[in-house]
mmCIF file of all heavy atoms in Angstrom:
data_model
loop_
_atom_site.group_PDB
_atom_site.id
_atom_site.type_symbol
_atom_site.label_atom_id
_atom_site.label_comp_id
_atom_site.label_asym_id
_atom_site.label_seq_id
_atom_site.Cartn_x
_atom_site.Cartn_y
_atom_site.Cartn_z
ATOM 1 N N TYR A 1 -65.017 48.174 50.226
ATOM 2 C CA TYR A 1 -63.727 47.494 50.130
ATOM 3 C C TYR A 1 -63.670 46.567 48.930
ATOM 4 O O TYR A 1 -62.650 46.487 48.247
ATOM 5 C CB TYR A 1 -63.524 46.693 51.431
ATOM 6 C CG TYR A 1 -62.162 46.036 51.569
ATOM 7 C CD1 TYR A 1 -61.077 46.729 52.080
ATOM 8 C CD2 TYR A 1 -61.984 44.702 51.221
ATOM 9 C CE1 TYR A 1 -59.844 46.122 52.239
ATOM 10 C CE2 TYR A 1 -60.753 44.081 51.380
ATOM 11 C CZ TYR A 1 -59.690 44.794 51.885
ATOM 12 O OH TYR A 1 -58.482 44.194 52.036
ATOM 13 N N VAL A 2 -64.755 45.828 48.654
ATOM 14 C CA VAL A 2 -64.702 44.747 47.677
ATOM 15 C C VAL A 2 -65.082 45.200 46.269
ATOM 16 O O VAL A 2 -64.600 44.615 45.284
ATOM 17 C CB VAL A 2 -65.559 43.545 48.135
ATOM 18 C CG1 VAL A 2 -67.024 43.770 47.883
ATOM 19 C CG2 VAL A 2 -65.109 42.262 47.491
ATOM 20 N N GLU A 3 -65.900 46.217 46.127
ATOM 21 C CA GLU A 3 -66.313 46.613 44.793
ATOM 22 C C GLU A 3 -65.155 47.130 43.920
ATOM 23 O O GLU A 3 -65.085 46.781 42.754
ATOM 24 C CB GLU A 3 -67.463 47.627 44.879
ATOM 25 C CG GLU A 3 -68.723 46.968 45.398
ATOM 26 C CD GLU A 3 -69.992 47.502 44.790
ATOM 27 O OE1 GLU A 3 -69.921 48.392 43.926
ATOM 28 O OE2 GLU A 3 -71.046 46.995 45.179
ATOM 29 N N PRO A 4 -64.213 47.928 44.438
ATOM 30 C CA PRO A 4 -63.055 48.260 43.600
ATOM 31 C C PRO A 4 -62.203 47.048 43.225
ATOM 32 O O PRO A 4 -61.614 47.036 42.131
ATOM 33 C CB PRO A 4 -62.244 49.231 44.477
ATOM 34 C CG PRO A 4 -63.237 49.793 45.425
ATOM 35 C CD PRO A 4 -64.229 48.709 45.696
ATOM 36 N N LEU A 5 -62.159 46.031 44.082
ATOM 37 C CA LEU A 5 -61.401 44.841 43.745
ATOM 38 C C LEU A 5 -62.070 44.092 42.601
ATOM 39 O O LEU A 5 -61.382 43.571 41.712
ATOM 40 C CB LEU A 5 -61.284 43.914 44.972
ATOM 41 C CG LEU A 5 -60.562 44.497 46.193
ATOM 42 C CD1 LEU A 5 -60.539 43.463 47.315
ATOM 43 C CD2 LEU A 5 -59.185 44.941 45.824
ATOM 44 N N ILE A 6 -63.378 44.037 42.584
ATOM 45 C CA ILE A 6 -64.089 43.357 41.493
ATOM 46 C C ILE A 6 -63.909 44.140 40.199
ATOM 47 O O ILE A 6 -63.699 43.552 39.131
ATOM 48 C CB ILE A 6 -65.575 43.180 41.847
ATOM 49 C CG1 ILE A 6 -65.709 42.261 43.067
ATOM 50 C CG2 ILE A 6 -66.353 42.616 40.667
ATOM 51 C CD1 ILE A 6 -67.122 42.165 43.611
ATOM 52 N N THR A 7 -63.933 45.458 40.292
ATOM 53 C CA THR A 7 -63.676 46.273 39.094
ATOM 54 C C THR A 7 -62.276 46.035 38.574
ATOM 55 O O THR A 7 -62.049 45.937 37.358
ATOM 56 C CB THR A 7 -63.863 47.775 39.416
ATOM 57 O OG1 THR A 7 -65.187 47.966 39.923
ATOM 58 C CG2 THR A 7 -63.656 48.636 38.215
ATOM 59 N N LYS A 8 -61.313 45.923 39.474
ATOM 60 C CA LYS A 8 -59.923 45.653 39.080
ATOM 61 C C LYS A 8 -59.797 44.295 38.420
ATOM 62 O O LYS A 8 -58.989 44.094 37.516
ATOM 63 C CB LYS A 8 -59.030 45.741 40.317
ATOM 64 C CG LYS A 8 -57.582 45.816 40.039
ATOM 65 C CD LYS A 8 -57.244 47.147 39.470
ATOM 66 C CE LYS A 8 -55.815 47.523 39.771
ATOM 67 N NZ LYS A 8 -55.406 48.703 39.000
ATOM 68 N N ALA A 9 -60.607 43.330 38.860
ATOM 69 C CA ALA A 9 -60.521 41.970 38.324
ATOM 70 C C ALA A 9 -61.095 41.854 36.916
ATOM 71 O O ALA A 9 -60.868 40.830 36.251
ATOM 72 C CB ALA A 9 -61.257 41.008 39.266
ATOM 73 N N LYS A 10 -61.816 42.857 36.461
ATOM 74 C CA LYS A 10 -62.370 42.796 35.103
ATOM 75 C C LYS A 10 -61.287 42.832 34.055
ATOM 76 O O LYS A 10 -61.485 42.309 32.944
ATOM 77 C CB LYS A 10 -63.369 43.940 34.901
ATOM 78 C CG LYS A 10 -64.668 43.670 35.666
ATOM 79 C CD LYS A 10 -65.516 44.911 35.835
ATOM 80 C CE LYS A 10 -66.146 45.420 34.581
ATOM 81 N NZ LYS A 10 -67.129 46.487 34.847
ATOM 82 N N THR A 11 -60.145 43.431 34.364
ATOM 83 C CA THR A 11 -59.008 43.400 33.453
ATOM 84 C C THR A 11 -57.986 42.396 34.021
ATOM 85 O O THR A 11 -57.381 42.639 35.046
ATOM 86 C CB THR A 11 -58.329 44.784 33.336
ATOM 87 O OG1 THR A 11 -57.920 45.198 34.631
ATOM 88 C CG2 THR A 11 -59.273 45.793 32.740
ATOM 89 N N ASP A 12 -57.854 41.267 33.349
ATOM 90 C CA ASP A 12 -57.019 40.187 33.852
ATOM 91 C C ASP A 12 -55.584 40.411 33.372
ATOM 92 O O ASP A 12 -55.190 39.992 32.292
ATOM 93 C CB ASP A 12 -57.551 38.831 33.364
ATOM 94 C CG ASP A 12 -56.856 37.675 34.043
ATOM 95 O OD1 ASP A 12 -56.071 37.925 34.983
ATOM 96 O OD2 ASP A 12 -57.084 36.525 33.631
ATOM 97 N N SER A 13 -54.815 41.106 34.192
ATOM 98 C CA SER A 13 -53.410 41.313 33.897
ATOM 99 C C SER A 13 -52.588 40.970 35.128
ATOM 100 O O SER A 13 -53.119 40.817 36.219
ATOM 101 C CB SER A 13 -53.156 42.771 33.491
ATOM 102 O OG SER A 13 -53.432 43.625 34.594
ATOM 103 N N THR A 14 -51.312 40.867 34.953
ATOM 104 C CA THR A 14 -50.452 40.527 36.080
ATOM 105 C C THR A 14 -50.487 41.624 37.138
ATOM 106 O O THR A 14 -50.539 41.351 38.329
ATOM 107 C CB THR A 14 -48.984 40.358 35.590
ATOM 108 O OG1 THR A 14 -48.970 39.387 34.544
ATOM 109 C CG2 THR A 14 -48.086 39.914 36.723
ATOM 110 N N ASN A 15 -50.503 42.865 36.695
ATOM 111 C CA ASN A 15 -50.547 43.954 37.671
ATOM 112 C C ASN A 15 -51.840 43.953 38.472
ATOM 113 O O ASN A 15 -51.811 44.110 39.691
ATOM 114 C CB ASN A 15 -50.397 45.292 36.945
ATOM 115 C CG ASN A 15 -50.369 46.448 37.910
ATOM 116 O OD1 ASN A 15 -49.609 46.425 38.876
ATOM 117 N ND2 ASN A 15 -51.215 47.424 37.684
ATOM 118 N N SER A 16 -52.969 43.749 37.800
ATOM 119 C CA SER A 16 -54.230 43.771 38.533
ATOM 120 C C SER A 16 -54.332 42.584 39.497
ATOM 121 O O SER A 16 -54.851 42.721 40.601
ATOM 122 C CB SER A 16 -55.424 43.786 37.578
ATOM 123 O OG SER A 16 -55.442 42.638 36.780
ATOM 124 N N ARG A 17 -53.769 41.435 39.107
ATOM 125 C CA ARG A 17 -53.765 40.288 40.023
ATOM 126 C C ARG A 17 -52.884 40.608 41.247
ATOM 127 O O ARG A 17 -53.251 40.246 42.366
ATOM 128 C CB ARG A 17 -53.226 39.037 39.326
ATOM 129 C CG ARG A 17 -54.258 38.366 38.442
ATOM 130 C CD ARG A 17 -53.682 37.110 37.844
ATOM 131 N NE ARG A 17 -54.668 36.455 37.001
ATOM 132 C CZ ARG A 17 -55.475 35.476 37.416
ATOM 133 N NH1 ARG A 17 -55.392 35.029 38.642
ATOM 134 N NH2 ARG A 17 -56.356 34.941 36.607
ATOM 135 N N ARG A 18 -51.760 41.262 41.064
ATOM 136 C CA ARG A 18 -50.896 41.585 42.194
ATOM 137 C C ARG A 18 -51.536 42.607 43.123
ATOM 138 O O ARG A 18 -51.414 42.524 44.336
ATOM 139 C CB ARG A 18 -49.546 42.087 41.683
ATOM 140 C CG ARG A 18 -48.683 41.001 41.121
ATOM 141 C CD ARG A 18 -47.375 41.523 40.586
ATOM 142 N NE ARG A 18 -46.558 40.427 40.096
ATOM 143 C CZ ARG A 18 -45.492 40.572 39.343
ATOM 144 N NH1 ARG A 18 -45.109 41.780 38.972
ATOM 145 N NH2 ARG A 18 -44.797 39.529 38.950
ATOM 146 N N VAL A 19 -52.219 43.573 42.527
ATOM 147 C CA VAL A 19 -52.896 44.588 43.344
ATOM 148 C C VAL A 19 -53.989 43.957 44.177
ATOM 149 O O VAL A 19 -54.102 44.207 45.383
ATOM 150 C CB VAL A 19 -53.439 45.724 42.450
ATOM 151 C CG1 VAL A 19 -54.380 46.633 43.222
ATOM 152 C CG2 VAL A 19 -52.314 46.525 41.846
ATOM 153 N N VAL A 20 -54.811 43.107 43.551
ATOM 154 C CA VAL A 20 -55.896 42.449 44.281
ATOM 155 C C VAL A 20 -55.333 41.480 45.320
ATOM 156 O O VAL A 20 -55.859 41.383 46.449
ATOM 157 C CB VAL A 20 -56.859 41.723 43.303
ATOM 158 C CG1 VAL A 20 -57.872 40.897 44.037
ATOM 159 C CG2 VAL A 20 -57.549 42.748 42.419
ATOM 160 N N PHE A 21 -54.243 40.803 44.998
ATOM 161 C CA PHE A 21 -53.633 39.876 45.963
ATOM 162 C C PHE A 21 -53.081 40.615 47.193
ATOM 163 O O PHE A 21 -53.104 40.087 48.299
ATOM 164 C CB PHE A 21 -52.520 39.072 45.313
ATOM 165 C CG PHE A 21 -51.952 38.013 46.204
ATOM 166 C CD1 PHE A 21 -52.655 36.834 46.439
ATOM 167 C CD2 PHE A 21 -50.735 38.192 46.832
ATOM 168 C CE1 PHE A 21 -52.146 35.848 47.283
ATOM 169 C CE2 PHE A 21 -50.207 37.210 47.661
ATOM 170 C CZ PHE A 21 -50.917 36.050 47.903
ATOM 171 N N SER A 22 -52.663 41.857 46.992
ATOM 172 C CA SER A 22 -52.165 42.625 48.143
ATOM 173 C C SER A 22 -53.302 42.953 49.133
ATOM 174 O O SER A 22 -53.044 43.145 50.319
ATOM 175 C CB SER A 22 -51.511 43.924 47.673
ATOM 176 O OG SER A 22 -52.490 44.842 47.207
ATOM 177 N N TYR A 23 -54.543 42.951 48.648
ATOM 178 C CA TYR A 23 -55.678 43.169 49.542
ATOM 179 C C TYR A 23 -56.228 41.875 50.122
ATOM 180 O O TYR A 23 -56.695 41.869 51.258
ATOM 181 C CB TYR A 23 -56.823 43.866 48.758
ATOM 182 C CG TYR A 23 -56.564 45.325 48.516
ATOM 183 C CD1 TYR A 23 -55.997 45.746 47.311
ATOM 184 C CD2 TYR A 23 -56.881 46.273 49.465
ATOM 185 C CE1 TYR A 23 -55.754 47.080 47.076
ATOM 186 C CE2 TYR A 23 -56.657 47.607 49.237
ATOM 187 C CZ TYR A 23 -56.092 48.009 48.054
ATOM 188 O OH TYR A 23 -55.844 49.342 47.814
ATOM 189 N N LEU A 24 -56.220 40.793 49.370
ATOM 190 C CA LEU A 24 -56.914 39.574 49.804
ATOM 191 C C LEU A 24 -56.011 38.519 50.419
ATOM 192 O O LEU A 24 -56.426 37.829 51.339
ATOM 193 C CB LEU A 24 -57.691 38.956 48.634
ATOM 194 C CG LEU A 24 -58.840 39.784 48.094
ATOM 195 C CD1 LEU A 24 -59.551 39.025 46.982
ATOM 196 C CD2 LEU A 24 -59.826 40.153 49.195
ATOM 197 N N GLN A 25 -54.804 38.305 49.896
ATOM 198 C CA GLN A 25 -53.863 37.317 50.439
ATOM 199 C C GLN A 25 -54.404 35.898 50.444
ATOM 200 O O GLN A 25 -54.105 35.125 51.334
ATOM 201 C CB GLN A 25 -53.453 37.715 51.874
ATOM 202 C CG GLN A 25 -52.792 39.057 52.014
ATOM 203 C CD GLN A 25 -51.407 39.078 51.387
ATOM 204 O OE1 GLN A 25 -50.661 38.137 51.536
ATOM 205 N NE2 GLN A 25 -51.088 40.150 50.694
ATOM 206 N N GLU A 26 -55.219 35.541 49.458
ATOM 207 C CA GLU A 26 -55.779 34.182 49.401
ATOM 208 C C GLU A 26 -55.814 33.753 47.918
ATOM 209 O O GLU A 26 -56.568 34.311 47.136
ATOM 210 C CB GLU A 26 -57.181 34.163 49.996
ATOM 211 C CG GLU A 26 -57.846 32.817 50.025
ATOM 212 C CD GLU A 26 -57.196 31.872 51.012
ATOM 213 O OE1 GLU A 26 -56.785 32.318 52.099
ATOM 214 O OE2 GLU A 26 -57.122 30.681 50.686
ATOM 215 N N LYS A 27 -55.003 32.739 47.576
ATOM 216 C CA LYS A 27 -54.877 32.350 46.167
ATOM 217 C C LYS A 27 -56.193 31.823 45.599
ATOM 218 O O LYS A 27 -56.543 32.150 44.450
ATOM 219 C CB LYS A 27 -53.772 31.280 46.021
ATOM 220 C CG LYS A 27 -52.398 31.830 46.104
ATOM 221 C CD LYS A 27 -51.377 30.751 45.827
ATOM 222 C CE LYS A 27 -49.981 31.284 45.918
ATOM 223 N NZ LYS A 27 -48.965 30.264 45.645
ATOM 224 N N LYS A 28 -56.915 31.021 46.360
ATOM 225 C CA LYS A 28 -58.174 30.456 45.859
ATOM 226 C C LYS A 28 -59.203 31.550 45.587
ATOM 227 O O LYS A 28 -59.948 31.475 44.596
ATOM 228 C CB LYS A 28 -58.731 29.424 46.824
ATOM 229 C CG LYS A 28 -57.889 28.200 46.917
ATOM 230 C CD LYS A 28 -58.464 27.213 47.924
ATOM 231 C CE LYS A 28 -57.544 26.010 48.033
ATOM 232 N NZ LYS A 28 -58.009 25.063 49.048
ATOM 233 N N ALA A 29 -59.211 32.568 46.426
ATOM 234 C CA ALA A 29 -60.152 33.688 46.212
ATOM 235 C C ALA A 29 -59.763 34.490 44.963
ATOM 236 O O ALA A 29 -60.633 34.929 44.217
ATOM 237 C CB ALA A 29 -60.166 34.584 47.443
ATOM 238 N N ILE A 30 -58.488 34.630 44.709
ATOM 239 C CA ILE A 30 -58.019 35.348 43.516
ATOM 240 C C ILE A 30 -58.418 34.585 42.271
ATOM 241 O O ILE A 30 -58.913 35.178 41.285
ATOM 242 C CB ILE A 30 -56.483 35.553 43.567
ATOM 243 C CG1 ILE A 30 -56.076 36.331 44.797
ATOM 244 C CG2 ILE A 30 -55.983 36.214 42.304
ATOM 245 C CD1 ILE A 30 -56.556 37.745 44.841
ATOM 246 N N ILE A 31 -58.243 33.282 42.285
ATOM 247 C CA ILE A 31 -58.613 32.466 41.119
ATOM 248 C C ILE A 31 -60.115 32.561 40.873
ATOM 249 O O ILE A 31 -60.565 32.737 39.726
ATOM 250 C CB ILE A 31 -58.166 31.000 41.348
ATOM 251 C CG1 ILE A 31 -56.637 30.931 41.345
ATOM 252 C CG2 ILE A 31 -58.753 30.080 40.295
ATOM 253 C CD1 ILE A 31 -56.095 29.607 41.844
ATOM 254 N N GLU A 32 -60.897 32.460 41.939
ATOM 255 C CA GLU A 32 -62.361 32.562 41.798
ATOM 256 C C GLU A 32 -62.774 33.925 41.284
ATOM 257 O O GLU A 32 -63.632 34.058 40.417
ATOM 258 C CB GLU A 32 -63.009 32.292 43.179
ATOM 259 C CG GLU A 32 -64.503 32.356 43.202
ATOM 260 C CD GLU A 32 -65.155 31.126 42.614
ATOM 261 O OE1 GLU A 32 -64.472 30.110 42.452
ATOM 262 O OE2 GLU A 32 -66.369 31.204 42.326
#
């Protein structure tokens, strides 16, 4: 579950942040 999210986070774009946020729903975790 989490490894594709970390791979997605390697490219810091608005779309990748929105995709990861749809899985996690936690702002502090997204920032970290």
Side-chain angles (χ1 to χ4, degrees):
Y1 186 86
V2 79
E3 292 215 1
L5 298 180
I6 296 172
T7 302
K8 194 71 153 169
K10 287 163 70 171
T11 58
D12 190 8
S13 65
T14 305
N15 182 51
S16 62
R17 281 183 180 264
R18 286 178 178 166
V19 168
V20 172
F21 186 76
S22 71
Y23 285 95
L24 294 182
Q25 300 291 319
E26 182 69 37
K27 284 186 180 180
K28 292 179 183 176
I30 301 294
I31 292 167
E32 180 77 15

